[in-house]
Amino acid sequence: ETGVTQTPRHLVMGMTNKKSLKCEQHLGHNAMYWYKQSAKKPLELMFVYNFKEQTENNSVPSRFSPECPNSSHLFLHLHTLQPEDSALYLCASSQDTGQGYEQYFGPGTRLTVT
Amino acid sequence: TQLLEQSPQFLSIQEGENLTVYCNSSSVFSSLQWYRQEPGEGPVLLVTVVTGGEVKKLKRLTFQFGDARKDSSLHITAAQPGDTGLYLCAGAPTGNQFYFGTGTSLTVIP
């Protein structure tokens, strides 16, 4: 295993479902991120974790709930989503937070909410 | 209103041609990054620029940071099909958070 992996790669869920996205990094990094990428919109930072502690929450609705049990794993728990939440959800990691640290992205989970 | 505007939004060129894509803002950035994202993959960092007027080269790619640190350009010489992808710029006004542009989708036709 190398880099940052995300599962599942594709997910279709109804508005009443509960699902979770998983991210795992094999780089020994301390910081992990969730981003949302929608068509024709900039990549949006959702959450930042550093040493398992959440350091950023960019006004994300509570129907998105992150969990970081350790520095290698990051989850995004989803419940009662809306169709406009359909997007590519990207996970990233870096050695630490800060502008000098390169972020490594996973391949993303393509989420469709029906 | 978006912090970073990228242009053009779409670009389709023949192999061997040169091209320039732009990243503009009214804000000053302490640093700016360029990424390339291929279909089905996450973005991959190409370069970080931090000094106004700075020019960095990565093989056939030339990156320039504006003197006022509000804009940047990416020039590709003799484009190849392998250059196809979504090019994203990301700027950090202050602090640690980078804000991304909407990207330029480049297609290089063999």
Side-chain angles (χ1 to χ4, degrees), chain A residues 34-98:
Chain A
W34 279 117
Y35 285 87
K36 177 183 179 182
Q37 188 173 32
S38 305
K40 300 183 181 179
K41 292 179 69 176
L43 207 63
E44 300 171 62
L45 179 64
M46 300 173 72
F47 302 103
V48 181
Y49 278 81
N50 198 18
F51 291 95
K52 302 186 298 179
E53 298 297 320
Q54 186 178 128
T55 58
E56 293 274 352
N57 177 341
N58 277 355
S59 303
V60 180
S62 59
R63 57 186 184 270
F64 295 91
S65 175
E67 179 190 0
C68 188
N70 54 62
S71 293
S72 298
H73 294 86
L74 185 64
F75 295 89
L76 188 62
H77 303 300
L78 316 171
H79 63 98
T80 59
L81 294 191
Q82 304 298 311
E84 60 265 29
D85 296 323
S86 298
L88 181 67
Y89 287 85
L90 290 161
C91 172
S93 72
S94 60
Q95 185 60 51
D96 203 334
T97 57

Side-chain angles (χ1 to χ4, degrees), chain B residues 12-73:
Chain B
S12 181
I13 61 169
Q14 293 291 132
E15 182 176 359
E17 292 183 351
N18 302 331
L19 66 114
T20 302
V21 298
Y22 301 92
C23 175
N24 295 299
S25 177
S26 57
S27 299
V28 176
F29 296 107
S30 55
S31 64
L32 191 140
Q33 297 180 326
W34 283 94
Y35 291 80
R36 180 170 66 217
Q37 184 176 17
E38 297 183 15
E41 301 296 330
V44 175
L45 180 66
L46 297 174
V47 76
T48 301
V49 286
V50 298
T51 305
E54 182 177 2
V55 176
K56 282 192 173 179
K57 292 192 175 184
L58 184 66
K59 297 183 180 179
R60 294 176 293 99
L61 278 60
T62 301
F63 305 85
Q64 183 160 10
F65 201 13
D67 291 340
R69 291 184 290 133
K70 292 183 178 182
D71 53 83
S72 182
S73 64

